[in-house]
PDB file of all heavy atoms in Angstrom:
ATOM      1  N   GLY O1306     137.648  71.412  68.051  1.00  0.00           N
ATOM      2  CA  GLY O1306     136.430  70.655  68.261  1.00  0.00           C
ATOM      3  C   GLY O1306     135.541  71.345  69.279  1.00  0.00           C
ATOM      4  O   GLY O1306     135.973  72.284  69.971  1.00  0.00           O
ATOM      5  N   SER O1307     134.311  70.869  69.420  1.00  0.00           N
ATOM      6  CA  SER O1307     133.335  71.554  70.271  1.00  0.00           C
ATOM      7  C   SER O1307     133.715  71.554  71.748  1.00  0.00           C
ATOM      8  O   SER O1307     133.454  72.531  72.454  1.00  0.00           O
ATOM      9  CB  SER O1307     131.948  70.944  70.083  1.00  0.00           C
ATOM     10  OG  SER O1307     131.938  69.574  70.445  1.00  0.00           O
ATOM     11  N   ASP O1308     134.342  70.486  72.243  1.00  0.00           N
ATOM     12  CA  ASP O1308     134.701  70.442  73.661  1.00  0.00           C
ATOM     13  C   ASP O1308     135.752  71.503  73.988  1.00  0.00           C
ATOM     14  O   ASP O1308     135.625  72.241  74.976  1.00  0.00           O
ATOM     15  CB  ASP O1308     135.224  69.058  74.042  1.00  0.00           C
ATOM     16  CG  ASP O1308     134.121  68.008  74.110  1.00  0.00           C
ATOM     17  OD1 ASP O1308     132.944  68.407  74.187  1.00  0.00           O
ATOM     18  OD2 ASP O1308     134.435  66.809  74.093  1.00  0.00           O
ATOM     19  N   ALA O1309     136.787  71.584  73.155  1.00  0.00           N
ATOM     20  CA  ALA O1309     137.820  72.602  73.366  1.00  0.00           C
ATOM     21  C   ALA O1309     137.252  73.992  73.137  1.00  0.00           C
ATOM     22  O   ALA O1309     137.633  74.956  73.817  1.00  0.00           O
ATOM     23  CB  ALA O1309     139.003  72.350  72.437  1.00  0.00           C
ATOM     24  N   ALA O1310     136.341  74.102  72.177  1.00  0.00           N
ATOM     25  CA  ALA O1310     135.722  75.400  71.894  1.00  0.00           C
ATOM     26  C   ALA O1310     134.902  75.883  73.085  1.00  0.00           C
ATOM     27  O   ALA O1310     134.896  77.077  73.404  1.00  0.00           O
ATOM     28  CB  ALA O1310     134.845  75.295  70.655  1.00  0.00           C
ATOM     29  N   LEU O1311     134.228  74.955  73.767  1.00  0.00           N
ATOM     30  CA  LEU O1311     133.439  75.329  74.934  1.00  0.00           C
ATOM     31  C   LEU O1311     134.341  75.846  76.054  1.00  0.00           C
ATOM     32  O   LEU O1311     134.005  76.839  76.720  1.00  0.00           O
ATOM     33  CB  LEU O1311     132.619  74.137  75.427  1.00  0.00           C
ATOM     34  CG  LEU O1311     131.723  74.395  76.651  1.00  0.00           C
ATOM     35  CD1 LEU O1311     130.691  75.468  76.351  1.00  0.00           C
ATOM     36  CD2 LEU O1311     131.037  73.103  77.091  1.00  0.00           C
ATOM     37  N   GLU O1312     135.467  75.192  76.254  1.00  0.00           N
ATOM     38  CA  GLU O1312     136.415  75.658  77.268  1.00  0.00           C
ATOM     39  C   GLU O1312     136.940  77.050  76.920  1.00  0.00           C
ATOM     40  O   GLU O1312     137.099  77.903  77.792  1.00  0.00           O
ATOM     41  CB  GLU O1312     137.572  74.662  77.401  1.00  0.00           C
ATOM     42  CG  GLU O1312     137.183  73.338  78.022  1.00  0.00           C
ATOM     43  CD  GLU O1312     136.543  73.497  79.384  1.00  0.00           C
ATOM     44  OE1 GLU O1312     137.112  74.239  80.226  1.00  0.00           O
ATOM     45  OE2 GLU O1312     135.457  72.919  79.620  1.00  0.00           O
ATOM     46  N   ARG O1313     137.199  77.256  75.626  1.00  0.00           N
ATOM     47  CA  ARG O1313     137.680  78.574  75.194  1.00  0.00           C
ATOM     48  C   ARG O1313     136.592  79.621  75.381  1.00  0.00           C
ATOM     49  O   ARG O1313     136.870  80.756  75.794  1.00  0.00           O
ATOM     50  CB  ARG O1313     138.117  78.504  73.721  1.00  0.00           C
ATOM     51  CG  ARG O1313     138.797  79.769  73.219  1.00  0.00           C
ATOM     52  CD  ARG O1313     140.014  80.071  74.054  1.00  0.00           C
ATOM     53  NE  ARG O1313     140.631  81.351  73.699  1.00  0.00           N
ATOM     54  CZ  ARG O1313     141.367  82.063  74.532  1.00  0.00           C
ATOM     55  NH1 ARG O1313     141.598  81.646  75.772  1.00  0.00           N
ATOM     56  NH2 ARG O1313     141.893  83.200  74.137  1.00  0.00           N
ATOM     57  N   TRP O1314     135.370  79.274  75.058  1.00  0.00           N
ATOM     58  CA  TRP O1314     134.219  80.156  75.243  1.00  0.00           C
ATOM     59  C   TRP O1314     134.143  80.626  76.690  1.00  0.00           C
ATOM     60  O   TRP O1314     134.033  81.826  76.975  1.00  0.00           O
ATOM     61  CB  TRP O1314     132.954  79.405  74.837  1.00  0.00           C
ATOM     62  CG  TRP O1314     131.657  79.980  75.297  1.00  0.00           C
ATOM     63  CD1 TRP O1314     131.029  79.777  76.496  1.00  0.00           C
ATOM     64  CD2 TRP O1314     130.790  80.859  74.558  1.00  0.00           C
ATOM     65  NE1 TRP O1314     129.841  80.457  76.555  1.00  0.00           N
ATOM     66  CE2 TRP O1314     129.671  81.120  75.379  1.00  0.00           C
ATOM     67  CE3 TRP O1314     130.860  81.431  73.291  1.00  0.00           C
ATOM     68  CZ2 TRP O1314     128.625  81.942  74.966  1.00  0.00           C
ATOM     69  CZ3 TRP O1314     129.799  82.249  72.874  1.00  0.00           C
ATOM     70  CH2 TRP O1314     128.709  82.502  73.706  1.00  0.00           C
ATOM     71  N   ARG O1315     134.214  79.672  77.624  1.00  0.00           N
ATOM     72  CA  ARG O1315     134.129  80.000  79.045  1.00  0.00           C
ATOM     73  C   ARG O1315     135.306  80.861  79.491  1.00  0.00           C
ATOM     74  O   ARG O1315     135.133  81.798  80.279  1.00  0.00           O
ATOM     75  CB  ARG O1315     134.073  78.718  79.867  1.00  0.00           C
ATOM     76  CG  ARG O1315     132.768  77.940  79.692  1.00  0.00           C
ATOM     77  CD  ARG O1315     132.850  76.571  80.325  1.00  0.00           C
ATOM     78  NE  ARG O1315     131.559  75.875  80.269  1.00  0.00           N
ATOM     79  CZ  ARG O1315     131.411  74.577  80.515  1.00  0.00           C
ATOM     80  NH1 ARG O1315     132.472  73.833  80.818  1.00  0.00           N
ATOM     81  NH2 ARG O1315     130.210  74.019  80.455  1.00  0.00           N
ATOM     82  N   ALA O1316     136.499  80.560  78.982  1.00  0.00           N
ATOM     83  CA  ALA O1316     137.692  81.317  79.374  1.00  0.00           C
ATOM     84  C   ALA O1316     137.617  82.756  78.892  1.00  0.00           C
ATOM     85  O   ALA O1316     137.957  83.692  79.627  1.00  0.00           O
ATOM     86  CB  ALA O1316     138.944  80.636  78.825  1.00  0.00           C
ATOM     87  N   VAL O1317     137.183  82.947  77.658  1.00  0.00           N
ATOM     88  CA  VAL O1317     137.096  84.291  77.093  1.00  0.00           C
ATOM     89  C   VAL O1317     136.051  85.119  77.849  1.00  0.00           C
ATOM     90  O   VAL O1317     136.289  86.286  78.190  1.00  0.00           O
ATOM     91  CB  VAL O1317     136.765  84.241  75.589  1.00  0.00           C
ATOM     92  CG1 VAL O1317     136.443  85.638  75.057  1.00  0.00           C
ATOM     93  CG2 VAL O1317     137.925  83.634  74.818  1.00  0.00           C
ATOM     94  N   LEU O1318     134.895  84.520  78.128  1.00  0.00           N
ATOM     95  CA  LEU O1318     133.862  85.241  78.868  1.00  0.00           C
ATOM     96  C   LEU O1318     134.341  85.580  80.275  1.00  0.00           C
ATOM     97  O   LEU O1318     134.113  86.697  80.768  1.00  0.00           O
ATOM     98  CB  LEU O1318     132.582  84.403  78.946  1.00  0.00           C
ATOM     99  CG  LEU O1318     131.714  84.343  77.690  1.00  0.00           C
ATOM    100  CD1 LEU O1318     130.493  83.467  77.940  1.00  0.00           C
ATOM    101  CD2 LEU O1318     131.270  85.736  77.262  1.00  0.00           C
ATOM    102  N   GLY O1319     135.003  84.621  80.924  1.00  0.00           N
ATOM    103  CA  GLY O1319     135.505  84.871  82.267  1.00  0.00           C
ATOM    104  C   GLY O1319     136.492  86.021  82.293  1.00  0.00           C
ATOM    105  O   GLY O1319     136.417  86.902  83.159  1.00  0.00           O
ATOM    106  N   ALA O1320     137.422  86.029  81.342  1.00  0.00           N
ATOM    107  CA  ALA O1320     138.423  87.097  81.279  1.00  0.00           C
ATOM    108  C   ALA O1320     137.770  88.441  80.969  1.00  0.00           C
ATOM    109  O   ALA O1320     138.152  89.480  81.528  1.00  0.00           O
ATOM    110  CB  ALA O1320     139.467  86.770  80.222  1.00  0.00           C
ATOM    111  N   TYR O1321     136.776  88.422  80.101  1.00  0.00           N
ATOM    112  CA  TYR O1321     136.082  89.653  79.703  1.00  0.00           C
ATOM    113  C   TYR O1321     135.456  90.337  80.919  1.00  0.00           C
ATOM    114  O   TYR O1321     135.594  91.556  81.112  1.00  0.00           O
ATOM    115  CB  TYR O1321     135.021  89.315  78.665  1.00  0.00           C
ATOM    116  CG  TYR O1321     134.086  90.446  78.310  1.00  0.00           C
ATOM    117  CD1 TYR O1321     134.505  91.522  77.531  1.00  0.00           C
ATOM    118  CD2 TYR O1321     132.750  90.423  78.730  1.00  0.00           C
ATOM    119  CE1 TYR O1321     133.633  92.548  77.190  1.00  0.00           C
ATOM    120  CE2 TYR O1321     131.873  91.438  78.391  1.00  0.00           C
ATOM    121  CZ  TYR O1321     132.315  92.496  77.627  1.00  0.00           C
ATOM    122  OH  TYR O1321     131.448  93.508  77.286  1.00  0.00           O
ATOM    123  N   PHE O1322     134.783  89.556  81.757  1.00  0.00           N
ATOM    124  CA  PHE O1322     134.138  90.148  82.930  1.00  0.00           C
ATOM    125  C   PHE O1322     135.137  90.433  84.049  1.00  0.00           C
ATOM    126  O   PHE O1322     134.968  91.397  84.797  1.00  0.00           O
ATOM    127  CB  PHE O1322     133.007  89.243  83.423  1.00  0.00           C
ATOM    128  CG  PHE O1322     131.810  89.231  82.509  1.00  0.00           C
ATOM    129  CD1 PHE O1322     131.445  88.077  81.828  1.00  0.00           C
ATOM    130  CD2 PHE O1322     131.063  90.374  82.308  1.00  0.00           C
ATOM    131  CE1 PHE O1322     130.346  88.064  80.981  1.00  0.00           C
ATOM    132  CE2 PHE O1322     129.961  90.383  81.462  1.00  0.00           C
ATOM    133  CZ  PHE O1322     129.600  89.220  80.785  1.00  0.00           C
ATOM    134  N   ASP O1323     136.189  89.628  84.146  1.00  0.00           N
ATOM    135  CA  ASP O1323     137.193  89.861  85.185  1.00  0.00           C
ATOM    136  C   ASP O1323     137.970  91.155  84.952  1.00  0.00           C
ATOM    137  O   ASP O1323     138.517  91.735  85.902  1.00  0.00           O
ATOM    138  CB  ASP O1323     138.188  88.689  85.237  1.00  0.00           C
ATOM    139  CG  ASP O1323     137.581  87.454  85.867  1.00  0.00           C
ATOM    140  OD1 ASP O1323     136.526  87.577  86.521  1.00  0.00           O
ATOM    141  OD2 ASP O1323     138.159  86.354  85.694  1.00  0.00           O
ATOM    142  N   GLU O1324     138.019  91.600  83.711  1.00  0.00           N
ATOM    143  CA  GLU O1324     138.786  92.798  83.376  1.00  0.00           C
ATOM    144  C   GLU O1324     138.012  94.095  83.606  1.00  0.00           C
ATOM    145  O   GLU O1324     138.510  95.186  83.313  1.00  0.00           O
ATOM    146  CB  GLU O1324     139.246  92.722  81.915  1.00  0.00           C
ATOM    147  CG  GLU O1324     140.310  91.648  81.671  1.00  0.00           C
ATOM    148  CD  GLU O1324     140.534  91.373  80.199  1.00  0.00           C
ATOM    149  OE1 GLU O1324     139.860  92.031  79.364  1.00  0.00           O
ATOM    150  OE2 GLU O1324     141.357  90.506  79.885  1.00  0.00           O
TER     151      GLU O1324
END
Side-chain angles (χ1 to χ4, degrees):
S1307 61
D1308 287 343
L1311 181 61
E1312 291 304 312
R1313 187 58 186 155
W1314 164 274
R1315 291 170 175 167
V1317 170
L1318 283 180
Y1321 171 73
F1322 289 114
D1323 286 344
E1324 291 167 0

